[in-house]
């Protein structure tokens, strides 16, 4: 099927009229170009918006206590309660499919009074009591030293991991913070590491101004007993936290004697659900890109089909000669189809190449610009699947474009074909 | 080799019907060199095209080497044409963007023969028609006589049972016509069955038998004394 004669003939047929071939090819080129650019732009927008989520594990929910809104088993409504450290183990026991359950305590924060002091420097920072797993749920990059580990947890070590922003405020430029002590609400903690957060929803600056200390020593130092402020819970990759959410909340409701239909007692934020909504939006956007791109492509295909018809008409006599010499209908059809597919693929691939080139340039430009959280556009790209899909579309459209001309080519009786000139 | 009985053919032109062949009966044995003669419009080409399976008769029977040729689909017709028949046309019908060698190799390509063998065979037949040195030339670099020789080589390449030539010398001057006829006679001498359509008396007399067609009927069919084409030079 793909021997040299075939190729010679295809090339010959297509180069016979350069200008016409180029014009024809342009239709498909343009269609695929638009398709790829639209898809890449959609991807860029998606990347930009998703960058807002930072590196945070998206299959995650946050859960905190609110006020019980229904009386239950003799307990009044309007009652306050606290998560206990025991809730963590009972959730782990009763709800399978969870990857991380991180209890957290928190104090201070942006806009609050200065709660951290080192020598003459002071600042207001968020201080978290955390387990080591939290770094997998809300990833940060350790820039020096290390993060909290289970040794710290088990031994109630008063150690702290501070953000680069904290370091800037409490330490002199070039000063080594590791091994130094800071006072958090009067309690001394030794700095064991510094970190950087890549990006966080709109508050980049704020993200660098946090302090992580072991959950146990936090509870001890700030008298939290076995209370848990809130939890960050991440599901295994093959489960969605949205599906597990209800079972988790049911567990804490049972633990804290809360009415099963009390929907207000347990506050939560399902990151996965939010993420899915945004994802759905981008899937729709991609659908639009495919739709528009395919329509433009379609007009290109019609162009090719048209030109192939003319080519077939022009070559009626030649086709007649071939059939007199023993060319079977399929060999004639195959020739036309191959020509059409070849033309489609060549022009389509050029379209893909040029559009990826454009995307590459745009990426280069974007790289040169300072990344800011306001640009809702990052790293527009097409992945291999898109190129593969585009190729499939091209092959099938080439086939489609050649179908009618191929049929026309063998419709004429050989004798009539021979008579034509 | 060829047996046809009561062959009829009409052309439909709108509401009119033109009865071109009105009951043709004739047989050709292996090794014959037959000239089909008749004035323009007498139906010579129509008959030859039916024999060549390029067209179909309306009624009547046609056996080629004892194979009934009737209601063939295009796929089988193509295969039979390729295997059994070689065509030589008045206007040569070479493919203009292929060189002489590739033109000759075309029927072999449709036989599914490998490139190497195809080239060897094609070259052999080009040698036979005396054009080995012109193998890489395109048709438009050849003279009329040379083109017809390439066409003859092409017709021979698939080693068909019968050669069908429709006015093979119609586009050639007298001298070249005789050269082409000399070649055709040589091929017939080797045993190939050949039918030639012509309206030129001198060409017809270079065959061994003349069939005369008039108004769609054979009016005369007889063996003639063959005039050798080389006796003219
Ligand atoms: N495809 C066709 N449609 C209609 N009439 C045709 C067709 N082919 C040939 N004819 C007519 O049939 C008659 C015989 O034609 P043809 O066999 O070509 O004659 P010849 O070859 O003897 O000159 C002519 O009158 C011609 O006009
Ligand atoms: Mg004729």
């Amino acid at each position: 099927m793909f021997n040299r004669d075939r190729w010679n003939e295809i090339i010959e047929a297509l180069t016979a009229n350069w200008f016409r071939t180029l014009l024809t090819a342009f239709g498909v080129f343009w269609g695929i170009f638009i398709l790829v650019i639209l898809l890449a732009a959609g991807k860029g927008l998606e990347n930009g918006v998703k960058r807002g989520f930072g590196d945070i594990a998206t299959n995650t929910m946050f859960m905190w206590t609110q006020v019980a809104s229904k009386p239950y088993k003799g307990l009044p409504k309007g009652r306050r309660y606290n998560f206990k450290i025991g809730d963590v183990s009972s959730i782990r026991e009763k709800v399978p499919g969870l990857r991380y359950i991180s209890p957290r305590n928190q104090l201070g924060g942006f806009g609050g009074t200065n709660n951290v002091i080192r020598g003459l420097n002071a600042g207001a920072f968020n201080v978290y009591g955390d387990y080591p797993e939290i770094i997998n749920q809300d990833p940060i990059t350790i820039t020096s030293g290390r993060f909290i580990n289970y040794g710290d947890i088990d031994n109630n070590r008063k150690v702290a991991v501070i953000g680069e922003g904290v370091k800037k405020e409490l330490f002199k430029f070039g000063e080594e913070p590791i091994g130094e002590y800071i006072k958090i609400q009067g309690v001394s903690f030794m700095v064991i590491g510094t970190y950087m957060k890549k990006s966080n929803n709109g508050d980049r600056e704020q993200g660098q101004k946090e302090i992580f200390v072991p959950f146990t020593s936090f509870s001890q130092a700030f008298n939290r007993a076995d209370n848990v402020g809130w939890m960050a819970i991440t599901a295994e990759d093959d489960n969605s936290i949205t599906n597990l959410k209800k079972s988790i909340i049911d567990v804490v409701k049972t633990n804290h004697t809360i009415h099963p239909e009390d929907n207000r007692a347990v506050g939560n934020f399902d990151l996965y659900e939010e993420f899915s909504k945004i994802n759905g939006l981008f899937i729709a956007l991609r659908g639009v890109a495919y739709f528009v791109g395919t329509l433009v492509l379609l007009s290109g295909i019609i162009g090719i089909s048209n030109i192939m018809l003319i080519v077939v008409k022009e070559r009626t006599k030649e086709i007649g000669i071939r059939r007199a010499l023993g060319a079977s209908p399929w060999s004639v059809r195959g020739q036309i189809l191959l020509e059409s597919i070849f033309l489609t693929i060549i022009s389509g691939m050029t379209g893909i190449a040029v559009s990826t080139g454009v995307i590459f340039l745009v990426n280069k430009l974007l790289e040169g610009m300072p990344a800011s959280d306001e640009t809702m556009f990052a790293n527009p790209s097409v992945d291999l699947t898109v190129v593969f899909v585009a190729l499939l579309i091209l092959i099938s459209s080439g086939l489609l474009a050649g179908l009618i001309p191929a049929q026309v080519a063998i419709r004429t009786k050989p004798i009539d074909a021979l008579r034509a000139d | 080799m060829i047996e046809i009985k009561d062959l009829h053919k009409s052309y439909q032109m709108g509401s009119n019907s033109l009865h071109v062949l009105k009951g043709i009966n004739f047989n050709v044995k292996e090794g014959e060199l037959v000239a089909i003669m008749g004035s323009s419009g007498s139906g010579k080409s129509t008959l030859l095209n039916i024999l060549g399976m390029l067209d179909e008769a309306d009624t009547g029977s046609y056996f080629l080497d004892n194979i009934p040729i009737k209601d063939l689909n295009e796929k089988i017709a193509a295969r039979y044409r390729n295997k059994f028949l070689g065509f030589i046309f008045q206007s040569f019908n070479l493919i203009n963007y292929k060189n002489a060698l590739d033109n000759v190799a075309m029927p072999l390509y449709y036989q599914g023969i490998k490139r190497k063998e195809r080239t060897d065979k094609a070259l052999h037949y080009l040698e036979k028609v005396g054009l080995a040195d012109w193998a890489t030339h395109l048709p438009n670099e050849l003279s009329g006589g040379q083109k017809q020789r390439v066409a003859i080589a092409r017709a021979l390449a698939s080693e068909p049972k019968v050669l069908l030539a429709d006015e093979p010398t119609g586009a050639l001057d007298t001298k070249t016509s005789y050269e082409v006829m000399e070649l055709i006679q040589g091929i017939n001498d080797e045993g190939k069955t050949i039918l030639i359509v012509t309206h030129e008396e001198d060409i017809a007399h270079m065959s061994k038998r003349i069939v005369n067609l008039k108004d769609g009927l054979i009016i005369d069919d007889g063996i003639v004394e063959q005039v050798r084409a080389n006796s003219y030079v």
Side-chain angles (χ1 to χ4, degrees):
Chain A
M1 189 170 184
F2 290 98
N3 53 45
R4 218 158 78 194
D5 303 64
R6 268 273 150 92
W7 286 120
N8 282 345
E9 273 155 31
I10 289 172
I11 302 295
E12 171 68 42
L14 295 179
T15 49
N17 194 332
W18 264 115
F19 186 63
R20 193 174 64 193
T21 304
L22 272 179
L23 270 184
T24 316
F26 187 76
V28 166
F29 164 85
W30 191 236
I32 210 83
F33 180 84
I34 297 272
L35 177 64
V36 172
I37 290 290
L38 282 179
L39 284 174
K43 191 78 193 167
L45 202 60
E46 183 174 347
N47 287 341
V49 169
K50 283 189 178 168
R51 189 169 63 179
F53 281 86
D55 289 334
I56 203 157
T58 45
N59 203 2
T60 297
M61 70 178 278
F62 304 100
M63 184 170 76
W64 58 92
T65 60
Q66 292 178 167
V67 177
S69 66
K70 284 185 174 160
Y72 188 55
K73 289 188 177 169
L75 294 170
K77 74 174 199 177
R79 175 174 54 95
R80 295 190 169 276
Y81 69 101
N82 273 316
F83 290 150
K84 299 288 177 187
I85 195 72
D87 289 332
V88 174
S89 43
S90 55
I91 291 172
R92 183 160 287 135
E93 243 167 64
K94 287 172 189 154
V95 186
L98 295 178
R99 191 159 179 195
Y100 306 117
I101 308 171
S102 297
R104 307 189 81 180
N105 276 315
Q106 182 183 353
L107 68 83
F110 183 69
T113 52
N114 287 348
N115 54 359
V116 182
I117 302 169
R118 176 177 177 263
L120 295 173
N121 298 333
F125 305 110
N126 272 323
V127 182
Y128 296 101
D130 263 316
Y131 274 87
E133 283 87 2
I134 194 73
I135 197 170
N136 298 319
Q137 291 169 283
D138 192 3
I140 53 178
T141 310
I142 299 295
T143 47
S144 69
R146 64 173 178 85
F147 194 64
I148 299 160
N149 61 29
Y150 270 97
D152 304 329
I153 296 281
D154 294 341
N155 300 316
N156 294 355
R157 281 186 200 131
K158 293 201 178 57
V159 292
V161 178
I162 63 172
E164 290 288 339
V166 177
K167 174 178 156 185
K168 215 184 278 171
E169 284 192 27
L170 297 185
F171 293 85
K172 284 204 251 349
F173 182 76
E175 197 177 357
E176 174 61 55
I178 297 204
E180 298 294 316
Y181 284 86
I182 56 175
K183 267 204 168 106
I184 303 172
Q185 291 199 345
V187 183
S188 282
F189 286 79
M190 188 179 80
V191 177
I192 54 164
T194 59
Y195 76 86
M196 256 252 295
K197 209 167 213 172
K198 253 194 236 142
S199 65
N200 204 342
N201 210 1
D203 47 11
R204 257 180 113 67
E205 195 62 16
Q206 191 59 23
Q208 321 301 341
K209 291 191 175 173
E210 291 172 344
I211 298 174
F212 296 92
V213 305
F215 186 85
T216 46
S217 49
F218 184 101
S219 302
Q220 203 177 43
F222 309 114
N223 300 318
R224 298 294 171 95
D226 58 348
N227 287 345
V228 171
W230 49 293
M231 297 190 206
I233 305 175
T234 302
E236 295 282 4
D237 287 345
D238 48 357
N239 278 313
S240 93
I241 196 70
T242 310
N243 295 334
L244 298 174
K245 187 163 62 178
K246 191 176 177 316
S247 338
I248 296 168
I249 290 174
D250 285 348
V251 171
V252 294
K253 278 181 180 169
T254 316
N255 284 359
H256 296 280
T257 334
I258 286 160
H259 195 289
E261 262 130 55
D262 188 342
N263 293 328
R264 272 188 257 162
V266 185
N268 67 79
F269 180 81
D270 181 348
L271 200 57
Y272 188 74
E273 205 171 50
E274 299 303 308
F275 199 72
S276 304
K277 272 184 212 156
I278 292 175
N279 250 352
L281 183 73
F282 286 113
I283 287 169
L285 206 64
R286 218 171 298 151
V288 171
Y290 271 113
F291 182 72
V292 173
T294 310
L295 277 190
V296 182
L297 195 58
L298 194 70
S299 64
I301 292 161
I302 292 171
I304 290 216
S305 194
N306 217 0
I307 259 6
M308 290 305 297
L309 263 177
I310 296 174
V311 168
V312 164
K313 279 255 153 28
E314 278 178 356
R315 290 168 68 193
T316 307
K317 175 135 189 175
E318 182 198 323
I319 291 168
I321 298 171
R322 286 168 182 276
R323 292 172 73 186
L325 297 179
S328 69
W330 260 113
S331 129
V332 173
R333 246 190 233 120
Q335 177 80 28
I336 306 293
L337 288 179
L338 270 181
E339 254 168 54
S340 153
I341 292 174
F342 181 74
L343 184 58
T344 316
I345 290 184
I346 287 293
S347 42
M349 289 312 275
T350 317
I352 291 177
V354 172
S355 51
T356 19
V358 168
I359 291 163
F360 178 79
L361 283 179
V362 169
N363 272 326
K364 273 263 172 284
L365 276 175
L366 282 181
E367 261 170 43
M369 292 196 307
S372 100
D373 288 318
E374 279 84 64
T375 30
M376 290 282 269
F377 199 80
N379 190 24
S381 58
V382 280
D383 46 19
L384 268 173
T385 16
V386 170
V387 175
F388 189 71
V389 166
L391 215 85
L392 268 183
I393 295 179
L394 283 177
I395 295 176
S396 40
S397 41
L399 255 172
L400 211 71
L403 229 48
I404 296 172
Q407 211 48 40
V408 167
I410 59 157
R411 202 178 49 198
T412 338
K413 279 198 296 179
I415 183 60
D416 296 328
L418 274 171
R419 256 190 222 113
D421 4 45
Chain B
M1 183 61 76
I2 290 174
E3 295 164 50
I4 53 178
K5 272 205 189 73
D6 205 25
L7 210 66
H8 283 262
K9 174 77 183 177
S10 328
Y11 288 111
Q12 226 62 44
M13 316 226 298
S15 53
N16 301 3
S17 160
L18 182 64
H19 204 171
V20 180
L21 300 181
K22 302 169 178 166
I24 304 279
N25 293 289
F26 100 124
N27 297 330
V28 177
K29 287 196 285 293
E30 189 166 358
E32 280 197 274
L33 175 54
V34 183
I36 299 169
M37 283 202 72
S39 55
S40 179
S42 56
K44 308 182 294 291
S45 295
T46 305
L47 176 60
L48 202 76
N49 289 334
I50 291 172
L51 294 178
M53 298 178 228
L54 293 170
D55 205 350
E56 256 191 301
D58 299 332
T59 57
S61 71
Y62 169 23
F63 286 84
L64 176 64
D65 202 22
N66 294 322
I67 297 165
I69 306 299
K70 187 139 186 76
D71 298 330
L72 303 180
N73 67 33
E74 231 326 278
K75 189 178 163 197
I76 295 176
R79 204 171 70 223
Y80 282 4
R81 284 198 288 269
N82 184 255
K83 254 173 51 178
F84 298 149
L85 303 168
F87 292 94
I88 302 163
F89 303 94
Q90 175 175 3
S91 52
F92 323 124
N93 282 348
L94 298 177
I95 290 178
N96 56 25
Y97 59 83
K98 286 180 177 293
N99 67 29
L101 188 74
D102 287 342
N103 262 291
V104 175
M106 281 211 56
L108 302 170
Y109 169 66
Y110 290 121
Q111 280 181 351
I113 291 173
K114 289 255 164 0
R115 190 178 180 84
K116 174 84 179 63
E117 194 187 338
R118 224 156 64 206
T119 313
D120 288 349
K121 268 196 173 174
L123 200 59
H124 167 79
Y125 283 102
L126 269 184
E127 251 161 43
K128 201 175 167 73
V129 300
L131 288 177
D133 293 341
W134 297 81
T136 58
H137 286 248
L138 290 174
N140 61 17
E141 296 161 351
L142 303 175
S143 72
Q146 286 173 323
K147 281 185 205 170
Q148 198 58 298
R149 282 163 183 273
V150 172
I152 291 170
R154 181 178 67 182
L156 288 174
S158 58
E159 284 156 15
K161 294 182 191 301
V162 178
L163 282 192
L164 301 173
D166 194 348
E167 315 234 11
T169 60
L172 305 175
D173 60 45
T174 312
K175 184 171 172 290
T176 325
S177 295
Y178 291 169
E179 282 166 9
V180 165
M181 282 314 292
E182 187 183 347
L183 183 60
I184 288 176
Q185 285 178 336
I187 293 161
N188 175 248
D189 291 344
E190 289 171 16
K192 187 77 71 194
T193 313
I194 305 175
L195 271 73
I196 300 175
V197 162
T198 181
H199 60 264
E200 295 163 89
E201 282 288 342
D202 52 344
I203 299 295
H205 279 89
M206 291 176 188
S207 70
K208 296 171 177 169
R209 171 183 166 194
I210 298 179
V211 174
N212 242 310
L213 220 59
K214 192 176 182 202
D215 293 333
L217 283 168
I218 294 178
I219 51 164
D220 185 34
D221 182 349
I223 308 292
V224 293
E225 184 66 32
Q226 186 180 41
V227 179
R228 298 302 294 193
N230 58 8
S231 68
Y232 278 92
V233 283

